[in-house]
Amino acid sequence: MYIREKITKQIKTIIGDALNQTVESGALTIETMPDLFLEIPREKEHGEYSTNIAMQLPKQTKKAPRFIAETLVANMNTGDSYIESIEIAGPGFINFKLKPYWQYAVLDEVADLKADYGRSQKNAGKKFNLEFISANPTGPMHMGNARGGAIGDILAAVADWTGYAVTREFYINDAGNQIVKFGDSLDARYRQLMGEDIPFPEDGYQGEDITDHMKAFIAVNGDVHRLLTPEERKPILIDYALNKNLSQMKSDLEAYGIHYDVWFSEQSLYDSGAIEKTVELLGKRGFTYEQEGALWFKATEFGSDKDDVLIRANGLPTYFMADIAYHMDKFINRGFNRCINVWGADHHGHVARLKGALTAVGIDASNFDVVIMQLVRLLRNGEVARMSKRQGKAIALTDLIDEVGVDATRFFFNLRSPDSHFDFDLDLAIEQSNDNPVFYVQYAHARICSIIRQMTEELDQTVPLDYSRLVEKEELNLMEILANFPDEILIAEDKLDPSRITRYAIDLAAAFHSFYNACHVRVDDKALMKARVVLIEATKQVIQNALGILGVSAPERM
RNA sequence: GCGCCUGUAGCUCAGUAGGAUAGAGCAACGGCCUUCUAAGCCGUGUGCCAGGGGUUCGAAUCCCUUCAGGCGCACCA
């Protein structure tokens, strides 16, 4: 158990015992015990921990909050605890001041656990599925995918650190309308390259990658497909280009630091009969009906304002239909306890109806959540540039990484919570890369490495390690922030907000830089030097752990 | 029209189940390198927390409402 958790638990027990005692003695009458909540006050004078419990009880007890607080405090037994003193302040806050130097415990924890410091077992034994990006495989990935990729990958890492067995998953939209258009576009380019004078489909994919695919295809296969009918030829072209795109996506994502455990094909849901089974199940449960030749889902029974089509009049299932079958596969066939998807804000309307449909098939939809990521707007020369894949004008993921770098890209896209709107100023990102906060954190790590490199020979092994030499406020502050790391991960997981880790890393780096300027590690006092070396080694380790979650490198030199 | 997200310092954003004097970074100004990396540190200022109501001991935070911006509301995905 980590030090923060130990202390919190202890204080809660003390408060709980005091509450019970006051009730037993008849000093206070409490019918329903309020939830105990400890907070860390902003002001240091208010102690390390604080509770507002006395201010939640006046209604029940008919007593003034200050009186309640006094009664409780009188009944608190702090005997052998971390608590040094308790004060009642303001309208009735009970503030706990800890015995000095409780922070030292964190140094042992980090030294013991090293690369695992911060991990917890909260969700041990549970399977977690995180689906993210899932970009259309009809062309290269763009900048919007870069944000979703960073958010998803880091959220997956966060879940992993809380004990989940995590699967990172990419859903390949290799069925449906856009694949038909993809085929039409490929075929048109093929025929044009073969010298036919035919028009390009109006709503086709106009990017050059389509033409390039067909040039490469012809270079390999010659003109043997020329005499086939378009209907015979399209599946061959689609198969060819799709595989090329997918392997390109895989390698682009690996270069971005993202490795998927599962690439799940939408088409496989058709092939396996999963979709038919799902239709059957929904029908059996009475949630479908036919109208105008289409099969509808009674979404209105699950809070939607209109029903949704599952199977079109032309007999083809909708994307929605496939998505239901897909999530049934996740929850039921593959036994995931929790499934999270990262979607762009333009898909948010889909969330409620999918949750409704999952409920309809008997899945507890509270285990399914979607992180809605607000769209990235691209600013170029101070102007908003719309991104559109179909017109081939989007900034490619790979170009972005080439220009900004993997570390800065991942860090930058995780600086803010997913639901913040985000203007990506391309000119600024490129020219400002030296100013990017990622360097601030990496620099702290490199500084520590540099000190340690120079210290190793000077360290006197015979001097005993004595943490009590660490008394400066910068030292204590640094240790407190180190001690916060495990909680920070738990909160990030609970709130599905991976950007907390990025901000934590910045806070930690700031605490270190302050320490660095206030306290020298290399000092004549050997015992002090030794204690400080342990402190910076712990800091180095936690920076590594945080950057590891972010998928950002921790360089030893800069 | 209905729904989701957003509105906090000049700019970009934090603000942890409603908590005690509202916080960072950037930008501006002034300091700090003859001992560990100045991509750093220290200091200085600025806020009708979009507006208006309400809930209560207490609201940037919760509820209602108005305004502004983004995104949805297909037999597209």
Side-chain angles (χ1 to χ4, degrees), chain A residues 104-122:
Chain A
Y104 295 153
V106 76
L107 298 178
D108 288 329
E109 290 172 358
V110 179
D112 279 355
L113 297 170
K114 298 194 173 65
D116 289 327
Y117 173 74
R119 283 189 184 274
S120 71
Q121 296 300 308
K122 186 187 165 208

Side-chain angles (χ1 to χ4, degrees), chain A residues 267-317:
Chain A
Q267 183 61 44
S268 73
L269 294 165
Y270 291 84
D271 300 342
S272 70
I275 288 181
E276 286 166 41
K277 278 187 205 154
T278 306
V279 175
E280 239 171 74
L281 179 64
L282 282 168
K284 226 183 279 174
R285 289 179 171 242
F287 295 123
T288 62
Y289 63 90
E290 281 188 42
Q291 188 180 310
E292 292 168 17
L295 186 73
W296 293 73
F297 170 64
K298 294 181 183 171
T300 43
E301 292 196 10
F302 299 92
S304 279
D305 49 5
K306 63 180 79 154
D307 292 340
D308 294 296
V309 172
L310 294 172
I311 298 180
R312 304 180 187 106
N314 64 11
L316 293 175

Side-chain angles (χ1 to χ4, degrees), chain A residues 19 25 99 101 128 146 202 204 226 304 349 396-397 423 440 460 553:
Chain A
L19 274 169
S25 70
K99 287 174 183 160
Y101 314 130
F128 185 102
E202 238 173 62
R226 197 154 75 115
S304 279
L397 171 75
D423 287 346
Y440 182 81
D460 186 346
S553 66

Side-chain angles (χ1 to χ4, degrees), chain A residues 321-522:
Chain A
M321 179 65 245
D323 228 11
I324 301 170
Y326 175 42
H327 285 87
M328 279 189 70
D329 183 74
K330 285 184 187 171
F331 277 105
I332 295 169
N333 292 354
R334 290 191 280 156
F336 284 104
N337 303 92
R338 187 146 171 73
C339 294
I340 304 294
N341 294 358
V342 178
W343 288 351
D346 53 342
H347 288 77
H348 72 80
H350 188 55
V351 178
R353 58 181 187 154
L354 183 54
K355 279 201 172 214
L358 294 182
T359 307
V361 295
I363 290 168
D364 178 0
S366 68
N367 290 321
F368 170 71
D369 273 304
V370 178
V371 175
I372 291 296
M373 159 192 93
Q374 295 300 315
L375 298 177
V376 179
R377 286 199 312 172
L378 178 64
L379 290 181
R380 181 183 269 155
N381 304 324
E383 282 177 21
V384 176
R386 271 308 286 173
M387 296 187 291
S388 161
K389 181 180 277 190
R390 196 163 291 162
Q391 291 167 13
K393 281 184 183 167
I395 298 288
L397 171 75
T398 46
D399 291 343
L400 186 71
I401 295 171
D402 285 348
E403 285 174 351
V404 185
V406 173
D407 286 347
T409 305
R410 291 180 65 109
F411 202 91
F412 197 66
F413 276 116
N414 252 282
L415 210 45
R416 296 178 191 135
S417 67
D419 57 12
S420 73
H421 296 260
F422 196 142
D423 287 346
F424 192 102
D425 188 326
L426 195 64
D427 309 302
L428 200 69
I430 295 166
E431 122 198 4
Q432 204 196 20
S433 61
N434 261 3
D435 223 0
N436 196 302
V438 69
F439 294 101
Y440 182 81
V441 178
Q442 291 179 320
Y443 184 55
H445 184 264
R447 261 184 162 175
I448 295 171
C449 292
S450 168
I451 299 169
I452 291 172
R453 271 196 300 274
Q454 295 165 65
M455 289 297 98
T456 43
E457 287 153 29
E458 295 178 43
L459 266 186
D460 186 346
Q461 298 302 328
T462 63
V463 175
L465 177 58
D466 180 7
Y467 291 150
S468 71
R469 304 305 305 275
L470 304 173
V471 296
E472 299 297 331
K473 70 175 196 294
E474 289 82 5
E475 294 170 324
L476 297 171
N477 181 248
L478 184 51
M479 284 183 267
E480 283 182 31
I481 291 177
L482 293 174
N484 290 344
F485 186 53
D487 276 345
E488 208 54 52
I489 295 169
L490 290 170
I491 296 171
E493 190 270 323
D494 185 56
K495 293 186 171 298
L496 299 174
D497 180 3
S499 71
R500 297 189 66 99
I501 305 300
T502 316
R503 271 179 259 117
Y504 173 82
I506 293 171
D507 287 347
L508 176 57
F512 169 74
H513 286 309
S514 292
F515 159 82
Y516 175 88
N517 278 274
C519 310
H520 267 253
V521 176
R522 194 180 199 173

Side-chain angles (χ1 to χ4, degrees), chain A residues 118-370:
Chain A
R119 283 189 184 274
S120 71
Q121 296 300 308
K122 186 187 165 208
N123 297 305
K126 288 193 229 162
K127 290 175 71 183
F128 185 102
N129 182 291
L130 195 86
E131 182 211 321
F132 58 108
I133 301 187
S134 297
N136 269 341
T138 51
M141 289 172 295
H142 55 75
M143 213 176 67
N145 301 134
R147 186 180 195 188
I151 289 170
D153 193 46
I154 295 166
L155 193 54
V158 165
D160 178 69
W161 276 64
T162 67
Y164 276 117
V166 175
T167 295
R168 288 171 171 84
E169 184 151 328
F170 191 110
Y171 184 50
I172 309 167
N173 299 130
D174 54 359
N177 245 323
Q178 83 284 3
I179 290 293
V180 173
K181 276 180 197 161
F182 187 51
D184 293 345
S185 307
L186 289 167
D187 196 58
R189 291 301 186 211
Y190 179 86
R191 291 166 70 181
Q192 287 173 345
L193 286 167
M194 282 293 157
E196 286 187 50
D197 183 20
I198 54 152
F200 191 74
E202 238 173 62
D203 55 353
Y205 292 101
Q206 297 184 17
E208 277 177 29
D209 53 308
I210 301 291
T211 313
D212 292 342
H213 275 314
M214 289 301 92
K215 280 182 184 164
F217 180 81
I218 291 164
V220 174
N221 297 293
D223 61 357
V224 297
H225 299 89
R226 197 154 75 115
L227 297 177
L228 297 176
T229 67
E231 295 325 306
E232 288 167 331
R233 186 168 50 225
K234 280 178 193 171
I236 298 168
L237 301 184
I238 290 171
D239 189 57
Y240 170 84
L242 210 53
N243 281 323
K244 287 273 181 206
N245 278 351
L246 281 172
S247 63
Q248 186 64 48
M249 287 169 106
K250 278 180 201 181
S251 64
D252 288 350
L253 287 168
E254 292 281 349
Y256 190 33
I258 296 175
H259 178 80
Y260 283 97
D261 304 298
V262 174
W263 291 75
F264 194 98
S265 155
E266 181 183 357
Q267 183 61 44
S268 73
L269 294 165
Y270 291 84
D271 300 342
S272 70
I275 288 181
E276 286 166 41
K277 278 187 205 154
T278 306
V279 175
E280 239 171 74
L281 179 64
L282 282 168
K284 226 183 279 174
R285 289 179 171 242
F287 295 123
T288 62
Y289 63 90
E290 281 188 42
Q291 188 180 310
E292 292 168 17
L295 186 73
W296 293 73
F297 170 64
K298 294 181 183 171
T300 43
E301 292 196 10
F302 299 92
S304 279
D305 49 5
K306 63 180 79 154
D307 292 340
D308 294 296
V309 172
L310 294 172
I311 298 180
R312 304 180 187 106
N314 64 11
L316 293 175
T318 58
Y319 172 85
F320 176 49
M321 179 65 245
D323 228 11
I324 301 170
Y326 175 42
H327 285 87
M328 279 189 70
D329 183 74
K330 285 184 187 171
F331 277 105
I332 295 169
N333 292 354
R334 290 191 280 156
F336 284 104
N337 303 92
R338 187 146 171 73
C339 294
I340 304 294
N341 294 358
V342 178
W343 288 351
D346 53 342
H347 288 77
H348 72 80
H350 188 55
V351 178
R353 58 181 187 154
L354 183 54
K355 279 201 172 214
L358 294 182
T359 307
V361 295
I363 290 168
D364 178 0
S366 68
N367 290 321
F368 170 71
D369 273 304
V370 178

